[in-house]
């Protein structure tokens, strides 16, 4: 099993550019979520999905867009990148919202916005 | 709002010592608590998951305890090794409603000196 796969691993964007961070899981997990990790802040929830076609906002959703057309994929879109979005982004999945089995995390995407 | 605190923020000990990492949380309405390990530039690796009804979980040299009523968890590492050097994160999954997802502490950066 590949688990949770994130691409790309590194990305540099110019302010105002848009891009999509990819996340795919092969464990048939219903729950998927995106976190950002910033120095001194810990990981914070951006958006999450409880199943295909269902998404909702987390703690820091502004500037990001998500959709969930399949169980396997949960892309995160930056609509117009800003320097404040420089961060490490992690995708996570769980079979049932983490209640019984916890969450599995991807290896992250390190994004720099200049 | 749930808050998770980890003490100490950093710890450096000689190889072979037993050590304890601390995690506290403000709202005891949780499903579980999960300990992760993060190596520099890498993703999160799940170490132990403790359900709210459990008191402790063990995996090899690691033992995690949970006192939900006092809002505390500890991660005990026995006979530490240089390979244990990493950042250790604890996260809780709230059962009180609101956004689905984990609330993280800021981590303990651990260095094991050879």
């Amino acid at each position: 099993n590949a688990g949770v796969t994130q691409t790309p691993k590194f990305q540099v964007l110019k302010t105002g550019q848009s891009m999509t961070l990819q996340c795919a899981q092969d464990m048939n997990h219903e729950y998927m979520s995106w976190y950002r990790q910033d120095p001194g802040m810990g990981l914070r929830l951006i958006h999450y999905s409880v199943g295909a076609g269902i998404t909702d906002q987390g703690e820091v959703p502004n500037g990001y867009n998500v959709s969930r057309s399949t169980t396997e994929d949960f892309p995160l879109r930056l609509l117009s990148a800003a320097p404040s979005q420089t961060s490490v982004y992690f995708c996570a999945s769980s079979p049932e919202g983490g209640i019984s089995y916890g969450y599995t995390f991807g290896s992250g995407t390190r994004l720099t916005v200049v | 709002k749930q808050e998770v605190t980890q003490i100490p923020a950093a710890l450096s000990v000689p190889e072979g010592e037993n050590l304890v990492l601390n995690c506290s949380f403000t709202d005891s309405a949780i499903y579980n608590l999960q300990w992760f390990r993060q190596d520099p530039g890498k993703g999160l690796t799940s170490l132990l998951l403790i359900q709210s009804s459990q008191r402790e979980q063990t995996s090899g040299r690691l033992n995690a305890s949970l006192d939900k009523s006092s809002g505390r968890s500890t991660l005990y590492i026995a006979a530490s090794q240089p390979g244990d050097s990493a950042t250790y994160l604890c996260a809780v999954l709230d059962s009180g409603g609101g956004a689905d997802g984990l609330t993280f502490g800021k981590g303990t950066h651990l260095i094991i000196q050879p």
Side-chain angles (χ1 to χ4, degrees):
Chain A
N1 273 346
V4 178
T5 302
Q6 292 185 238
T7 56
K9 293 190 181 302
F10 302 94
Q11 184 71 48
V12 178
L13 285 180
K14 294 182 178 180
T15 298
Q17 286 185 318
S18 63
M19 78 159 294
T20 299
L21 279 62
Q22 302 291 345
C23 175
Q25 52 90 12
D26 61 357
M27 299 172 284
N28 201 33
H29 286 177
E30 290 295 326
Y31 280 68
M32 296 186 74
S33 50
W34 279 100
Y35 293 81
R36 61 178 287 174
Q37 185 178 35
D38 302 295
M41 296 291 294
L43 279 85
R44 293 178 292 169
L45 182 65
I46 304 172
H47 283 286
Y48 65 99
S49 169
V50 301
I54 306 170
T55 64
D56 208 343
Q57 298 180 352
E59 181 183 358
V60 287
N62 292 340
Y64 307 96
N65 196 11
V66 293
S67 60
R68 184 98 178 269
S69 57
T70 67
T71 299
E72 295 77 18
D73 300 299
F74 190 44
L76 178 71
R77 298 181 184 85
L78 279 68
L79 308 174
S80 178
S84 62
Q85 294 179 304
T86 294
S87 187
V88 182
Y89 292 85
F90 289 100
C91 180
S93 73
S94 170
E96 31 62 277
I99 296 174
S100 299
Y101 301 102
Y103 279 83
T104 301
F105 279 77
S107 58
T109 294
R110 186 174 296 271
L111 176 68
T112 302
V113 182
V114 298
Chain B
K1 178 187 175 186
Q2 179 76 266
E3 293 183 3
V4 178
T5 302
Q6 291 188 245
I7 295 174
L11 183 62
S12 180
V13 300
E15 178 179 5
E17 285 200 4
N18 303 323
L19 55 98
V20 174
L21 308 182
N22 297 292
C23 173
S24 62
F25 47 95
T26 55
D27 188 344
S28 61
I30 63 170
Y31 285 118
N32 56 52
L33 183 146
Q34 196 166 359
W35 282 94
F36 294 90
R37 169 186 172 136
Q38 185 176 26
D39 293 287
K42 303 294 185 182
L44 279 68
T45 300
S46 181
L47 297 174
L48 290 164
L49 174 69
I50 312 177
Q51 299 297 334
S52 61
S53 59
Q54 297 176 321
R55 297 286 294 180
E56 66 178 79
Q57 282 285 341
T58 298
S59 176
R61 295 183 292 108
L62 304 180
N63 176 276
S65 68
L66 175 64
D67 184 343
K68 196 178 79 163
S69 61
S70 67
R72 296 184 179 188
S73 176
T74 62
L75 180 66
Y76 175 83
I77 303 176
S80 58
Q81 303 170 358
D84 295 330
S85 298
T87 296
Y88 291 80
L89 300 168
C90 74
V92 298
L93 184 64
D94 292 331
S95 61
D100 285 345
L102 296 168
T103 303
F104 281 86
K106 295 179 182 179
T108 294
H109 181 55
L110 176 64
I111 297 174
I112 307 299
Q113 307 157 9

